[in-house]
Amino acid sequence: MLRVTKLTDYASVVLTVLASEPDAVLSATGLAERAGLETPTVAKVLKPLAQAGLVEAFRGANGGYRLARAPADISLIEIVEAIEGPLGMTECSVHAGACGIERSCTARANWRRINDVVADALRGVSLADMVGPPRPQAKKAIPASLAAN
């Protein structure tokens, strides 16, 4: 099954809490309370989010965290990659030469296309979208053509 890790899921929850109060500086404990998560878990996701430039950290008695950019300017792909690293549906869709059958594999090009479609979908959803109610979407047909070998 393809899914994001629990830490990525928790990171998105923490960021939606921050997005709901974009100018507030919230402590890890305050974020944990609002998100319904344990403080150590929140602290664990805040570090890579800060390293990726998605949140700003402030020290001191009134320290804490806030979004580094407007919620509309943070995409889901940035959140996923901050926690998990580069998106890769398969090892070869991220790193060439990582697979022993790469030269004879006919599936690689199509997995790369699928990887690109998923990345584009995540790029198309912002943190601001995640805070609001889901938007109704018209059903889209996904082209089923495969890449040439």
Side-chain angles (χ1 to χ4, degrees):
M1 179 177 297
L2 299 173
R3 69 172 72 179
V4 296
T5 64
K6 282 186 180 182
L7 281 182
T8 300
D9 187 16
Y10 296 156
S12 69
V13 170
V14 167
L15 288 171
T16 58
V17 170
L18 287 171
S20 67
E21 300 179 55
D23 295 323
V25 175
L26 301 173
S27 68
T29 302
L31 281 166
E33 289 171 3
R34 290 183 171 134
L37 299 169
E38 298 294 326
T39 301
T41 301
V42 170
K44 187 173 183 174
V45 300
L46 285 168
K47 184 176 180 180
L49 294 174
Q51 289 171 336
L54 301 179
V55 298
E56 294 177 308
F58 298 92
R59 295 179 185 258
N62 295 318
Y65 299 86
R66 74 171 177 209
L67 292 179
R69 302 191 308 263
D73 295 334
I74 297 173
S75 68
L76 283 186
I77 190 75
E78 292 177 276
I79 299 167
V80 170
E81 290 186 339
I83 303 297
E84 299 188 29
L87 180 69
M89 303 299 291
T90 61
E91 190 66 31
C92 67
S93 37
V94 179
H95 305 290
C99 178
I101 64 167
E102 187 173 307
R103 287 187 184 154
S104 62
C105 180
T106 59
R108 181 172 187 242
N110 290 306
W111 275 115
R112 290 186 72 140
R113 286 189 61 236
I114 293 165
N115 197 77
D116 292 345
V117 168
V118 172
D120 287 344
L122 292 171
R123 244 181 238 102
V125 179
S126 73
L127 185 56
D129 296 328
M130 295 294 287
V131 174
R135 295 181 293 180
Q137 288 187 331
K139 288 192 176 190
K140 278 191 202 178
I142 297 175
S145 62
L146 299 177
N149 292 334

